[in-house]
Amino acid sequence: MAQLFTRDTQAIFWNNNKTAIQRMLDYDYTIKREKPSVAAIVAPTSNNKFEKFFYGADEIMIPLYKTTEEAAAAQPQADVLLNFASFRTAYSVTMDALAMDQFKTIMITAEGIPERLARKMNQTARDKNVTVIGPATVGGIVPGAFKIANVGGTIENIVNSKLHRAGSCGLVTRSGGLFNELSNIISINADGIAEGVAIGGDRFVGSVFIDNLLRMEENPNVKYMLLLGEVGGIEEYKVIEAIKSGKITKPVIAWCIGTIAKHYDSGVQFGHAGASANADRETAEAKNKAMAEAGIYVPESFNDLPNKIKEVYEKLKAEGTITEIEEPELNTVPKVRRSKNFICTISDDRGDEATYAGHPISSVATPDTGKSIGDVVSLLWFKKEYPKWATDFIETVMKTVADHGPAVSGAHNAKVTARAGKSVVESLVTGLLTIGPRFGGAIDGAAQYFKYADDNDMSPKEFLGYMKKQGVPIPGIGHRIKSLKNPDLRVTGLMDYAKEHFPSTPLLDYARTVEALTTSKKENLILNVDGTIGILMVDMWRALGYSEEEIDEFIESGTLNAFFIVGRSIGFIGHILDEKRLAMPMYRHPFDDILYDVEKAEKL
Ligand code: ACO
Ligand code: LMR
């Protein structure tokens, strides 16, 4: 690819470096990118699922993953890895990423990766044709398309240095600080840069000058190139060779910094690990001389570099190689922004008509829409339009559990509360608070344990043994009054529906084998209504294509009990209204129904 990045390029950012990511998004907003340039963040120690960032005045959520693998799988279009791991982890993060064959470019910011490892890492990348920028770099930029992290500094600085749109210079430096400085100089003396890379200051960096210049040679937007080298190393000689052999034909301006070194008696180590001459050829002076001899535009001194840039730029403009740039319209990042405290991803009430997962209420509310409560649940709970067999199942479940008479524990409590003069809502929540692991709230537990047993290929006997060890009754098994002889027809109804309408029911089939064993021990240990619902919901979600992780998450968050909660609310309210209609007095439990076993005070 001739150009390093495009306007569609998206990156995975390794480490939740909020300031750098926000700078990328401010850049994206300024240049009106269609998609944010960061598709995902890898944050190994965070339990959060996303991080909020500003996009203009609004906020967007960028997903967080614990590993590069997960992030890459979720964002297969992201072909750039911005590796902001520390020098201790940067090597392994890069090697893992290289093994994935998803990334075309990897930028590594850490300084001080052991040189032996850096060489191995760079070679692996080279073998795989992956461009590595760094280590020890701020990165690079294709103005108007994609900017890595902190390159160019603040958004004001970026616009001032004309880094918001493509110019015509291809810039390659070692230093990140001087990269910014040169971008500014080029914007003043010419029309800005078309692509720029700071290759990094370590002795062993991934892509070297020649790699970047050869790519820029192929990039039609680059009309001339500027190379800022420094004392140490022999990479500049490869550029000289490429010019001599005709591989590079575009004009090149170059300067090697560090000419001051000759004024010292012994070798000088400058700031970068690679900035030290080990032989005469590696001095800045020698390299500047050799480059000038090869026809490269080399200024008299660094101070003269701006004039050289102007000279080459004006020449190319006069020739017609460089034409006038039409300045694009930009967005302005607001100075004051307020972070939002709440997030809503299911409904929106700001327009003329509120929506459920994007569907106006009127498109699901009335009978002529053909939509049911099952559809509304699938939209508001799962943000999806489920197929009819699934929405019908959801509705069947809610209708099936709506009531089971006045004697069940929840209805009883609701009735007693209503008779104490409490309101509908107070009586309702009393009933709802009765729902739990023994009554109506065993659905999540049933799904969790049966799924676990089936996932781990446990035989029914092993499963029973496992549950005994856990010391809990099997959720979804057993009923006070229902048994093999007095079957629960709700259970039969749900199973019949599933057998007829579900694509398949593997977990139910497994649960039936467990039930055969439990009922052989005690005939009321049937698969009860809670168990049947939990198990069939897992079968439904699997058939709808959810991943096992997504299903586990539903179960963990208590989604399944919610079907009972909503359904049974209908019945509780019925009982409460019944009490009120009958104007029933306060209830007091009869003495003779209580076994009093209280010791006398003198005995205590
Ligand atoms: N798993 C294993 N053994 C069980 C289970 C079970 N789920 N349920 C009962 N048993 C055993 C008990 O250990 C006890 O054994 P023991 O006689 O050797 O001591 C025997 O069966 C009777 O136990 P009880 O708790 O008296 O059973 P009961 O029939 O009164 O209770 C209940 C019914 C509470 C539903 C019980 O079966 C249970 O806790 N099940 C799991 C929770 C559940 O699924 N609840 C939802 C029910 S449906 C609904 O509420 C809408
Ligand atoms: C119910 O649905 O409430 C019942 O299964 C519980 C019961 O005790 O009958």
mmCIF file of all heavy atoms in Angstrom, residues 7-8 41 44 60 112 125 152 207-208 214 238 258 279 291 308 336 352 389 427 442 479 499 521-522 547 575 579 594:
data_model
loop_
_atom_site.group_PDB
_atom_site.id
_atom_site.type_symbol
_atom_site.label_atom_id
_atom_site.label_comp_id
_atom_site.label_asym_id
_atom_site.label_seq_id
_atom_site.Cartn_x
_atom_site.Cartn_y
_atom_site.Cartn_z
ATOM 1 N N ARG A 7 -8.478 7.471 5.409
ATOM 2 C CA ARG A 7 -9.530 8.035 6.266
ATOM 3 C C ARG A 7 -10.374 6.949 6.922
ATOM 4 O O ARG A 7 -11.150 7.221 7.836
ATOM 5 C CB ARG A 7 -10.457 8.926 5.418
ATOM 6 C CG ARG A 7 -10.123 10.386 5.481
ATOM 7 C CD ARG A 7 -11.086 11.165 4.615
ATOM 8 N NE ARG A 7 -12.235 11.658 5.354
ATOM 9 C CZ ARG A 7 -12.267 12.787 6.044
ATOM 10 N NH1 ARG A 7 -11.197 13.550 6.083
ATOM 11 N NH2 ARG A 7 -13.357 13.173 6.673
ATOM 12 N N ASP A 8 -10.252 5.712 6.405
ATOM 13 C CA ASP A 8 -11.028 4.604 6.986
ATOM 14 C C ASP A 8 -10.218 3.799 7.995
ATOM 15 O O ASP A 8 -10.751 2.915 8.660
ATOM 16 C CB ASP A 8 -11.493 3.636 5.884
ATOM 17 C CG ASP A 8 -12.506 4.284 4.981
ATOM 18 O OD1 ASP A 8 -13.277 5.120 5.497
ATOM 19 O OD2 ASP A 8 -12.509 3.986 3.775
ATOM 20 N N ILE A 41 -10.090 -0.424 22.691
ATOM 21 C CA ILE A 41 -8.971 -0.207 23.611
ATOM 22 C C ILE A 41 -8.702 -1.526 24.330
ATOM 23 O O ILE A 41 -9.648 -2.209 24.729
ATOM 24 C CB ILE A 41 -9.333 0.882 24.647
ATOM 25 C CG1 ILE A 41 -9.644 2.208 23.925
ATOM 26 C CG2 ILE A 41 -8.229 1.060 25.680
ATOM 27 C CD1 ILE A 41 -10.329 3.234 24.800
ATOM 28 N N PRO A 44 -6.037 -4.454 30.052
ATOM 29 C CA PRO A 44 -6.021 -5.781 30.683
ATOM 30 C C PRO A 44 -6.551 -5.815 32.109
ATOM 31 O O PRO A 44 -7.097 -6.812 32.534
ATOM 32 C CB PRO A 44 -4.552 -6.178 30.650
ATOM 33 C CG PRO A 44 -3.910 -5.271 29.680
ATOM 34 C CD PRO A 44 -4.713 -4.024 29.621
ATOM 35 N N ILE A 60 -18.879 9.564 22.753
ATOM 36 C CA ILE A 60 -19.041 8.242 22.147
ATOM 37 C C ILE A 60 -18.413 7.212 23.098
ATOM 38 O O ILE A 60 -17.606 7.568 23.949
ATOM 39 C CB ILE A 60 -18.388 8.132 20.745
ATOM 40 C CG1 ILE A 60 -16.902 8.502 20.798
ATOM 41 C CG2 ILE A 60 -19.119 8.989 19.730
ATOM 42 C CD1 ILE A 60 -16.150 8.146 19.529
ATOM 43 N N GLY A 112 13.308 1.740 25.607
ATOM 44 C CA GLY A 112 14.093 0.887 26.508
ATOM 45 C C GLY A 112 13.756 -0.587 26.443
ATOM 46 O O GLY A 112 14.099 -1.348 27.353
ATOM 47 N N ALA A 125 8.432 -8.879 12.323
ATOM 48 C CA ALA A 125 7.521 -7.965 11.604
ATOM 49 C C ALA A 125 7.913 -7.886 10.130
ATOM 50 O O ALA A 125 7.059 -7.928 9.236
ATOM 51 C CB ALA A 125 7.578 -6.582 12.246
ATOM 52 N N GLY A 152 1.875 15.870 16.749
ATOM 53 C CA GLY A 152 1.384 17.206 16.421
ATOM 54 C C GLY A 152 0.892 17.992 17.613
ATOM 55 O O GLY A 152 0.616 19.176 17.503
ATOM 56 N N SER A 207 10.674 0.011 11.251
ATOM 57 C CA SER A 207 10.875 0.539 9.901
ATOM 58 C C SER A 207 11.940 1.623 9.984
ATOM 59 O O SER A 207 11.930 2.443 10.902
ATOM 60 C CB SER A 207 9.564 1.084 9.332
ATOM 61 O OG SER A 207 9.175 2.246 10.013
ATOM 62 N N VAL A 208 12.876 1.595 9.042
ATOM 63 C CA VAL A 208 13.967 2.576 9.036
ATOM 64 C C VAL A 208 13.701 3.596 7.932
ATOM 65 O O VAL A 208 12.705 3.503 7.213
ATOM 66 C CB VAL A 208 15.334 1.874 8.864
ATOM 67 C CG1 VAL A 208 15.666 1.058 10.107
ATOM 68 C CG2 VAL A 208 15.331 0.978 7.641
ATOM 69 N N LEU A 214 10.847 4.695 0.627
ATOM 70 C CA LEU A 214 10.433 3.899 -0.552
ATOM 71 C C LEU A 214 8.908 3.867 -0.667
ATOM 72 O O LEU A 214 8.351 3.914 -1.756
ATOM 73 C CB LEU A 214 10.990 2.474 -0.469
ATOM 74 C CG LEU A 214 12.491 2.345 -0.754
ATOM 75 C CD1 LEU A 214 12.965 0.911 -0.540
ATOM 76 C CD2 LEU A 214 12.831 2.804 -2.189
ATOM 77 N N LYS A 238 21.743 3.928 3.126
ATOM 78 C CA LYS A 238 20.807 3.121 2.322
ATOM 79 C C LYS A 238 19.977 4.033 1.430
ATOM 80 O O LYS A 238 19.595 3.666 0.321
ATOM 81 C CB LYS A 238 19.883 2.309 3.236
ATOM 82 C CG LYS A 238 20.593 1.230 4.024
ATOM 83 C CD LYS A 238 19.581 0.399 4.796
ATOM 84 C CE LYS A 238 20.286 -0.559 5.743
ATOM 85 N NZ LYS A 238 19.411 -1.000 6.829
ATOM 86 N N GLY A 258 23.465 16.723 15.037
ATOM 87 C CA GLY A 258 24.536 16.154 15.859
ATOM 88 C C GLY A 258 25.909 16.547 15.337
ATOM 89 O O GLY A 258 26.911 15.945 15.714
ATOM 90 N N ALA A 279 31.705 5.068 14.480
ATOM 91 C CA ALA A 279 32.755 5.096 13.459
ATOM 92 C C ALA A 279 32.644 6.433 12.728
ATOM 93 O O ALA A 279 31.619 7.119 12.855
ATOM 94 C CB ALA A 279 32.547 3.946 12.478
ATOM 95 N N MET A 291 25.441 12.636 1.663
ATOM 96 C CA MET A 291 24.104 12.860 1.097
ATOM 97 C C MET A 291 24.139 13.990 0.075
ATOM 98 O O MET A 291 23.514 13.900 -0.984
ATOM 99 C CB MET A 291 23.096 13.158 2.227
ATOM 100 C CG MET A 291 22.816 11.932 3.090
ATOM 101 S SD MET A 291 21.333 12.058 4.108
ATOM 102 C CE MET A 291 21.825 13.272 5.310
ATOM 103 N N LYS A 308 15.924 25.782 2.472
ATOM 104 C CA LYS A 308 16.034 24.656 1.516
ATOM 105 C C LYS A 308 14.631 24.131 1.178
ATOM 106 O O LYS A 308 14.325 23.824 0.021
ATOM 107 C CB LYS A 308 16.816 23.519 2.168
ATOM 108 C CG LYS A 308 18.183 23.150 1.682
ATOM 109 C CD LYS A 308 18.462 23.138 0.249
ATOM 110 C CE LYS A 308 19.961 23.243 0.044
ATOM 111 N NZ LYS A 308 20.443 24.222 -0.850
ATOM 112 N N VAL A 336 -15.497 24.155 25.810
ATOM 113 C CA VAL A 336 -16.089 23.648 27.055
ATOM 114 C C VAL A 336 -16.961 22.446 26.719
ATOM 115 O O VAL A 336 -17.829 22.527 25.852
ATOM 116 C CB VAL A 336 -16.954 24.743 27.720
ATOM 117 C CG1 VAL A 336 -17.543 24.239 29.035
ATOM 118 C CG2 VAL A 336 -16.130 25.997 27.940
ATOM 119 N N ASP A 352 -40.081 13.673 18.106
ATOM 120 C CA ASP A 352 -41.535 13.842 18.192
ATOM 121 C C ASP A 352 -42.156 12.640 18.883
ATOM 122 O O ASP A 352 -43.110 12.750 19.627
ATOM 123 C CB ASP A 352 -42.141 13.961 16.778
ATOM 124 C CG ASP A 352 -41.787 15.302 16.160
ATOM 125 O OD1 ASP A 352 -41.402 16.200 16.939
ATOM 126 O OD2 ASP A 352 -41.872 15.427 14.922
ATOM 127 N N TRP A 389 -40.919 -16.814 16.218
ATOM 128 C CA TRP A 389 -40.955 -17.985 17.116
ATOM 129 C C TRP A 389 -40.382 -17.638 18.483
ATOM 130 O O TRP A 389 -40.841 -18.146 19.511
ATOM 131 C CB TRP A 389 -40.245 -19.203 16.505
ATOM 132 C CG TRP A 389 -38.741 -19.049 16.297
ATOM 133 C CD1 TRP A 389 -38.114 -18.670 15.162
ATOM 134 C CD2 TRP A 389 -37.699 -19.284 17.268
ATOM 135 N NE1 TRP A 389 -36.746 -18.643 15.334
ATOM 136 C CE2 TRP A 389 -36.472 -19.024 16.634
ATOM 137 C CE3 TRP A 389 -37.687 -19.677 18.599
ATOM 138 C CZ2 TRP A 389 -35.240 -19.144 17.272
ATOM 139 C CZ3 TRP A 389 -36.457 -19.805 19.245
ATOM 140 C CH2 TRP A 389 -35.249 -19.536 18.581
ATOM 141 N N SER A 427 -48.064 -3.092 47.716
ATOM 142 C CA SER A 427 -48.437 -4.506 47.806
ATOM 143 C C SER A 427 -47.721 -5.306 46.723
ATOM 144 O O SER A 427 -47.275 -6.439 46.951
ATOM 145 C CB SER A 427 -49.951 -4.659 47.645
ATOM 146 O OG SER A 427 -50.615 -3.799 48.539
ATOM 147 N N ALA A 442 -35.737 -19.104 40.429
ATOM 148 C CA ALA A 442 -34.716 -20.138 40.225
ATOM 149 C C ALA A 442 -34.357 -20.261 38.741
ATOM 150 O O ALA A 442 -33.638 -21.170 38.345
ATOM 151 C CB ALA A 442 -35.215 -21.475 40.763
ATOM 152 N N HIS A 479 -41.037 -29.490 43.078
ATOM 153 C CA HIS A 479 -42.225 -28.654 43.279
ATOM 154 C C HIS A 479 -42.973 -29.126 44.506
ATOM 155 O O HIS A 479 -42.982 -30.310 44.818
ATOM 156 C CB HIS A 479 -43.132 -28.679 42.038
ATOM 157 C CG HIS A 479 -44.074 -27.517 41.995
ATOM 158 N ND1 HIS A 479 -45.294 -27.523 42.622
ATOM 159 C CD2 HIS A 479 -43.964 -26.301 41.403
ATOM 160 C CE1 HIS A 479 -45.890 -26.367 42.427
ATOM 161 N NE2 HIS A 479 -45.108 -25.594 41.684
ATOM 162 N N LYS A 499 -40.668 -27.704 21.280
ATOM 163 C CA LYS A 499 -40.432 -28.840 20.364
ATOM 164 C C LYS A 499 -40.966 -28.511 18.978
ATOM 165 O O LYS A 499 -40.373 -28.871 17.958
ATOM 166 C CB LYS A 499 -41.114 -30.103 20.911
ATOM 167 C CG LYS A 499 -40.345 -30.752 22.028
ATOM 168 C CD LYS A 499 -39.081 -31.453 21.494
ATOM 169 C CE LYS A 499 -38.110 -31.750 22.630
ATOM 170 N NZ LYS A 499 -36.717 -31.864 22.223
ATOM 171 N N LYS A 521 -35.728 -40.842 42.143
ATOM 172 C CA LYS A 521 -35.445 -40.804 43.585
ATOM 173 C C LYS A 521 -36.677 -40.346 44.361
ATOM 174 O O LYS A 521 -36.986 -40.843 45.424
ATOM 175 C CB LYS A 521 -34.279 -39.857 43.878
ATOM 176 C CG LYS A 521 -32.942 -40.375 43.335
ATOM 177 C CD LYS A 521 -31.833 -39.378 43.619
ATOM 178 C CE LYS A 521 -30.556 -39.736 42.888
ATOM 179 N NZ LYS A 521 -29.775 -40.803 43.484
ATOM 180 N N LYS A 522 -37.353 -39.320 43.812
ATOM 181 C CA LYS A 522 -38.508 -38.745 44.510
ATOM 182 C C LYS A 522 -39.407 -38.149 43.426
ATOM 183 O O LYS A 522 -38.939 -37.385 42.584
ATOM 184 C CB LYS A 522 -38.012 -37.627 45.448
ATOM 185 C CG LYS A 522 -38.769 -37.519 46.727
ATOM 186 C CD LYS A 522 -37.998 -36.659 47.734
ATOM 187 C CE LYS A 522 -38.868 -36.418 48.951
ATOM 188 N NZ LYS A 522 -39.898 -35.436 48.731
ATOM 189 N N SER A 547 -23.315 -15.674 21.441
ATOM 190 C CA SER A 547 -22.128 -16.434 21.856
ATOM 191 C C SER A 547 -22.355 -16.947 23.280
ATOM 192 O O SER A 547 -23.213 -16.434 24.012
ATOM 193 C CB SER A 547 -20.893 -15.540 21.827
ATOM 194 O OG SER A 547 -20.980 -14.572 22.853
ATOM 195 N N HIS A 575 -54.431 -10.032 42.270
ATOM 196 C CA HIS A 575 -54.792 -10.386 43.648
ATOM 197 C C HIS A 575 -54.980 -9.132 44.499
ATOM 198 O O HIS A 575 -55.887 -9.070 45.339
ATOM 199 C CB HIS A 575 -53.704 -11.272 44.263
ATOM 200 C CG HIS A 575 -53.732 -12.671 43.708
ATOM 201 N ND1 HIS A 575 -54.763 -13.548 43.946
ATOM 202 C CD2 HIS A 575 -52.862 -13.337 42.900
ATOM 203 C CE1 HIS A 575 -54.528 -14.694 43.317
ATOM 204 N NE2 HIS A 575 -53.375 -14.591 42.671
ATOM 205 N N GLU A 579 -58.397 -7.950 46.446
ATOM 206 C CA GLU A 579 -58.527 -7.592 47.865
ATOM 207 C C GLU A 579 -59.252 -6.267 48.020
ATOM 208 O O GLU A 579 -60.130 -6.113 48.868
ATOM 209 C CB GLU A 579 -57.143 -7.485 48.523
ATOM 210 C CG GLU A 579 -56.363 -8.784 48.627
ATOM 211 C CD GLU A 579 -57.046 -9.795 49.535
ATOM 212 O OE1 GLU A 579 -57.951 -9.420 50.302
ATOM 213 O OE2 GLU A 579 -56.668 -10.989 49.447
ATOM 214 N N ILE A 594 -50.199 -21.637 64.528
ATOM 215 C CA ILE A 594 -48.785 -21.364 64.841
ATOM 216 C C ILE A 594 -48.370 -22.256 66.015
ATOM 217 O O ILE A 594 -49.097 -22.335 67.027
ATOM 218 C CB ILE A 594 -48.584 -19.877 65.215
ATOM 219 C CG1 ILE A 594 -48.964 -18.981 64.023
ATOM 220 C CG2 ILE A 594 -47.135 -19.608 65.647
ATOM 221 C CD1 ILE A 594 -49.050 -17.507 64.333
#
